[in-house]
Amino acid sequence: MLRRQPSKIEVKIEDKEELEQARKRAAAAAAAAAASTTTDTTSSAAASLLHNLNRNKDPTSKAQRLENFFFDGSSGELSARRAVLRIRFYDGDSRCVISLKARAVLVDGVSRVEEDEEELEPSVGRACVENPQRLKEVESRVMGRVKDEFGPSGFVGLGGFGNVRGVFEWNGLKLELDESSFEFGTLYEIECESTDPDAAKKMIEDLLKENQIAYGYSEASKFSIFRCGKLP
């Protein structure tokens, strides 16, 4: 049975100097979590939030349906070094992107991660999902990095999950509202990429508080939650 969770906040930054500083802070910090009230979000509060955001939404935009599939080396070469390979499909096969994510650090709802991605022909992506060993034949910059940096002997599929994403321009921020569906439940999350993550997080918190929506900081990536097999 799917169950509703309070909204989660995750603000992302992709700055290598910040990444290194974050790793040092994370090593010294205690487990990061900030739990808020666990009351259910009321329909009126959610409607108020969406109305607030929709005032600045591009009228031509629409919610995207994403399919996410993950891969590791046959001997765990990527996961052993805290990396993951993902193939994502947008709205069926209208677009496909392959991504390499590495060295993610998530502290107090602020995620710092090294990410490299590029477009992939959807038919090639589907073939790799069906048979992960086909990844060895893919000629691309991202796969070149994977082979050079991790040297996997082969590839295995780790499975995946789907989510629905709405994108909003709000007060100078680009907010992504995700509803991720796992076999064990549904997770709601607000993501925002920013060069000033602390300021962005404060703005998002104020928005949620104004609309009386319970929230907490993301404690793990959606991939980690998927692999763990339970909601946080």
Side-chain angles (χ1 to χ4, degrees), residues 7-199:
S7 301
K8 299 293 180 182
I9 297 176
E10 181 174 338
V11 180
K12 296 183 177 180
I13 185 169
E14 297 178 14
D15 182 286
K16 291 188 176 180
E17 291 184 3
E18 284 288 332
L19 281 167
E20 184 59 32
Q21 293 175 11
R23 283 194 284 271
K24 292 178 180 177
R25 286 196 298 269
S36 66
T37 60
T38 58
T39 56
D40 290 338
T41 302
T42 64
S43 58
S44 60
S48 175
L49 173 62
L50 290 175
H51 175 72
N52 194 330
L53 294 174
N54 273 319
R55 288 184 300 180
N56 296 301
K57 186 176 182 180
D58 181 347
T60 64
S61 66
K62 63 178 182 178
Q64 294 180 314
R65 294 190 176 275
L66 312 180
E67 292 179 274
N68 308 282
F69 297 93
F70 302 90
F71 305 87
D72 196 357
S74 298
S75 300
E77 292 92 343
L78 277 73
S79 58
R81 294 169 58 185
R82 296 172 49 224
V84 64
L85 184 64
R86 182 190 70 199
I87 292 179
R88 168 177 282 173
F89 298 91
Y90 293 76
D91 293 325
D93 286 356
S94 64
R95 183 186 177 205
C96 179
V97 174
I98 187 168
S99 305
L100 173 64
K101 292 189 174 187
R103 304 179 184 89
V105 176
L106 180 57
V107 178
D108 291 340
V110 177
S111 172
R112 292 165 171 87
V113 61
E114 296 178 9
E115 183 171 0
D116 190 6
E117 63 179 28
E118 66 178 318
E119 300 285 331
L120 187 67
E121 176 62 37
S123 61
V124 174
R126 290 294 181 188
C128 292
V129 170
E130 183 175 346
N131 178 10
Q133 297 302 332
R134 292 286 296 274
L135 284 164
K136 294 189 292 185
E137 305 169 10
V138 174
E139 297 294 335
S140 76
R141 176 178 48 77
V142 167
M143 285 308 302
R145 280 195 58 191
V146 171
K147 296 169 186 175
D148 292 342
E149 296 178 20
F150 301 93
S153 56
F155 294 92
V156 294
L158 303 177
F161 59 88
N163 59 291
V164 178
R165 170 170 293 174
V167 180
F168 303 84
E169 297 291 340
W170 175 77
N171 286 358
L173 299 177
K174 183 178 180 180
L175 303 184
E176 297 177 344
L177 276 63
D178 277 1
E179 178 183 4
S180 300
S181 301
F182 306 101
E183 291 183 356
F184 45 85
T186 301
L187 180 74
Y188 298 88
E189 187 175 62
I190 299 176
E191 293 188 1
C192 173
E193 293 189 4
S194 173
T195 56
D196 189 354
D198 292 324

